[in-house]
Amino acid sequence: METTLRGVGVSHGVAIGEVRHMGTAVLEPPAKQIPAQEAGREQGRARQAVDAVAADLTARGNLAGGEAQAVLEAQAMMAQDPELMADVDRRIAVGSTAERAVYDAFAAYRELLAAAGEYLAGRVADLDDVRNRIVARLLGVPMPGVPDSDHPYVLVARDLAPADTALLDPSLVLGFVTEEGGPTSHSAILARALGVPAVVALPGAVELGEGTVVAVDGSTGEVFVHPSEERKTELAAAAAERRAALAASTGPGATADGHKVPLLANVGGPADVPAAVAAGAEGVGLFRTEFLFLDDSERAPSEEKQIAAYRQVLEAFPEGRVVVRVLDAGADKPLAFLTPADEPNPALGVRGLRTLLDHPDVLRTQLTALAKAAEGLPVHLEVMAPMVADRADARAFADACRAAGLRAKFGAMVEIPSAALRARSILREVEFLSLGTNDLAQYTFAADRQVGAVSRLQDPWQPALLDLVALSAKAARAEGKSCGVCGEAASDPLLACVLTGLGVTSLSMGAASLPYVRATLAKFTLAQCERAAAAARAADSAEEARSAAQGVLSGE
């Protein structure tokens, strides 16, 4: 008999297939003592296992490229953390085996993260994955991970580590469902990049039996268990209709009455560019530059290395717009040479622009590299700062851009509520705004984007978040400047219409979402989008906001 479960849809499309569960976690190693003379050998075993896992994660990142590469390289750094390894060595020195020492050291670090505030608690799943891989290697058992199968299936897990999500084979993994995670988690972002239908934060997901047939709707967040033939037919027809609409939709982004809404791509490095170009991106709305800095946590990349990487992306969009975000270090992206190691809550500490203003040489080198990379190219370069809090921040960034001789537009990201509330003041120092809705939601609702338990507060349909978007867009319009959205909210086709109605002037998203948003925008006039936006803001919850907007756009 068909039953319906509801989670959070994070990647468009429909998948129908049998459930396959993620490989089981590594068992806890036995707590046995070793003779003192074996400590050196055990410490060597531990070091070899750690280095092998770090190398494997780095290799997976190189294969995946783009956003996934940055995430996996951060995990590799986590595996080789000096303090963790020192703790492992201490535990072995007093009699633990290598595998038990790793298990216990990671457990202690896990408790610290879990107690350090919700933002860092979101890194626990990544830490657990690293621990499991190291212990599995030491025990000589298979790595936990994606199941082996010759037939396509729907992958079900409590959560998916980035190392697994990054290399999913879309020809075998029809879609995935997780019990934990949120709409802006690493796995959700990578799922959208892969174009794999996905639902997260689904209560009871891991209780679905192996081999159970399910239908996953990544747009609505619905999972149908034992779907009827009628349901399968209905979903297949809807999927076919979507594909036909996508194929018919080409050209620049615009509403049905011709109001232009440039559709741009979020990229994590040169590896993401081909997909963006193929999807018809009109430029880049968010070029994340962290991938360059994660290669070496001890020092910043040279100016020459930065110039070469930036130019690869700039050359791909002649006459197009490329918006580069300068380094956003701190919180879940710590760098040993930049960020403090002892902050009680790094998400609320020295992060983003604050970090760069504390290290002006790093900011100056990056801005100079961008200026040189753009020389002789017809591209429209724009550079923005992350985590701008007020006008003083915006002025400091603009001054740094001018001092570096950068001939580009300077902008500020709106990720902190204060920036939205004082957007007009900030716009007197910079030339555009770009809303990072992931962090803006996180800071508005005090709800970590990696924690599934608070996923309803991470929902970009929350009316309070829409109010902040509207405030920012209104300020930009009053100043005659632009205000785009580069957070994951832009990848929701229905929400893209609402954002347009709120006055947003451009939308940037993962390449896989561009056709969906382009096709949906083309169905409605600007006036319809404005009415949908007003209806959404008048609601009292995210679910009511979505329903109200849908009602307006469907003519109900």
Side-chain angles (χ1 to χ4, degrees):
M1 181 178 177
E2 178 180 302
T3 57
T4 304
L5 305 176
R6 184 179 291 276
V8 179
V10 296
S11 185
H12 305 296
V14 171
I16 301 174
E18 294 184 356
V19 166
R20 293 286 181 274
H21 284 271
M22 199 72 173
T24 56
V26 175
L27 294 175
E28 181 178 345
K32 63 179 182 181
Q33 291 292 108
I34 59 168
Q37 61 268 27
E38 292 184 15
R41 180 178 65 85
E42 290 296 289
Q43 288 169 342
R45 285 182 64 228
R47 174 61 63 185
Q48 288 177 352
V50 164
D51 290 345
V53 167
D56 177 62
L57 290 168
T58 301
R60 284 169 178 257
N62 291 336
L63 283 173
E67 179 82 28
Q69 184 170 9
V71 172
L72 293 176
E73 286 177 348
Q75 267 198 299
M77 289 166 55
M78 184 183 286
Q80 295 178 304
D81 181 271
E83 290 187 17
L84 259 175
M85 286 313 302
D87 191 18
V88 169
D89 285 344
R90 284 194 296 270
R91 292 173 187 274
I92 292 174
V94 295
S96 284
T97 61
E99 48 267 36
R100 185 70 206 192
V102 167
Y103 187 90
D104 288 341
F106 272 73
Y109 191 36
R110 188 186 199 280
E111 288 183 12
L112 288 175
L113 284 186
E118 288 186 351
Y119 201 94
L120 280 181
R123 303 278 74 77
V124 165
D126 291 0
L127 185 71
D128 287 347
D129 180 60
V130 171
R131 177 204 64 201
N132 289 348
R133 292 174 186 277
I134 297 170
V135 172
R137 185 171 289 275
L138 287 165
L139 291 175
V141 301
M143 290 283 178
V146 178
D148 290 327
S149 176
D150 295 329
H151 303 288
Y153 59 91
V154 174
L155 181 62
V156 174
R158 185 169 299 281
D159 202 356
L160 281 173
D164 297 311
T165 314
L167 296 182
L168 289 179
D169 182 352
S171 67
L172 282 176
V173 180
L174 302 171
F176 69 74
V177 178
T178 66
E179 187 158 321
E180 298 179 355
T184 58
S185 65
H186 284 148
S187 292
I189 292 170
L190 296 179
R192 284 188 283 272
L194 287 167
V196 177
V199 172
V200 301
L202 183 81
V206 295
E207 296 171 16
L208 292 169
E210 189 83 1
T212 302
V213 175
V214 296
V216 180
D217 190 329
S219 299
T220 66
E222 293 173 307
V223 174
F224 303 95
V225 184
H226 302 300
S228 64
E229 291 304 316
E230 291 79 8
R231 179 72 67 185
K232 292 179 185 178
T233 301
E234 174 190 319
L235 291 171
E241 184 180 338
R242 285 180 197 151
R243 285 194 296 270
L246 296 181
S249 176
T250 58
T255 58
D257 56 338
H259 174 72
K260 295 185 183 303
V261 187
L263 301 181
L264 313 171
N266 294 345
V267 303
D272 289 343
V273 168
V277 173
E282 298 169 58
V284 173
L286 172 61
F287 178 10
R288 303 178 179 95
T289 57
E290 288 76 37
F291 77 101
L292 275 168
F293 292 79
L294 291 171
D295 282 348
D296 186 346
S297 66
E298 299 302 322
R299 63 184 64 83
S302 68
E303 182 180 302
E304 292 72 24
K305 182 177 181 179
Q306 292 189 55
I307 291 171
Y310 301 150
R311 196 169 180 91
Q312 275 187 270
V313 176
L314 297 176
E315 287 176 337
F317 295 95
E319 304 294 339
R321 177 186 178 199
V322 175
V323 184
V324 179
R325 180 180 71 190
V326 294
L327 175 65
D328 182 12
D332 63 335
K333 292 171 283 191
L335 292 171
F337 68 95
L338 278 183
T339 50
D342 55 353
E343 287 188 309
N345 192 338
L348 301 179
V350 183
R351 178 191 168 188
L353 180 61
R354 299 168 187 174
T355 301
L356 293 174
L357 294 179
D358 279 353
H359 297 82
D361 53 326
V362 175
L363 177 59
R364 183 169 52 251
T365 299
Q366 184 169 26
L367 294 174
T368 302
L370 284 164
K372 292 181 179 179
E375 285 178 0
L377 297 180
V379 68
H380 300 287
L381 175 63
E382 301 183 13
V383 182
M384 61 186 182
M387 302 299 290
V388 171
D390 57 14
R391 184 173 181 174
D393 278 351
R395 183 188 304 120
F397 179 65
D399 288 345
C401 289
R402 284 187 282 268
L406 191 62
R407 294 182 179 179
K409 286 186 175 182
F410 318 142
M413 291 198 71
V414 177
E415 301 168 283
I416 303 172
S418 64
L421 293 168
R422 301 290 294 171
R424 194 161 183 179
S425 171
I426 287 172
L427 281 165
R428 292 185 179 129
E429 302 293 340
V430 295
E431 298 170 83
F432 69 92
L433 299 177
S434 184
L435 288 135
T437 52
N438 305 351
D439 271 322
L440 185 57
Q442 172 170 258
Y443 289 120
T444 298
F445 296 103
D448 193 305
R449 55 193 281 192
Q450 300 293 328
V451 178
V454 292
S455 62
R456 76 173 186 85
L457 297 173
Q458 301 155 357
D459 193 323
W461 280 95
Q462 285 284 355
L465 186 65
L466 300 181
D467 287 344
L468 293 176
V469 173
L471 274 175
S472 303
K474 182 179 179 181
R477 187 165 55 249
E479 293 293 321
K481 296 178 179 180
S482 64
C483 176
V485 169
C486 64
E488 290 300 315
S491 65
D492 179 335
L494 181 61
L495 187 49
C497 294
V498 167
L499 295 172
T500 299
L502 292 174
V504 165
T505 55
S506 66
L507 298 166
S508 189
M509 65 209 73
S513 298
L514 284 164
Y516 291 92
V517 172
R518 184 185 295 114
T520 305
L521 267 179
K523 294 179 183 178
F524 306 108
T525 65
L526 177 59
Q528 286 176 300
C529 292
E530 289 172 340
R531 288 197 294 274
R537 288 185 68 192
D540 290 322
S541 69
E543 187 173 335
E544 289 175 9
R546 177 188 284 274
S547 179
Q550 181 70 65
V552 169
L553 295 179
S554 63
E556 295 176 2

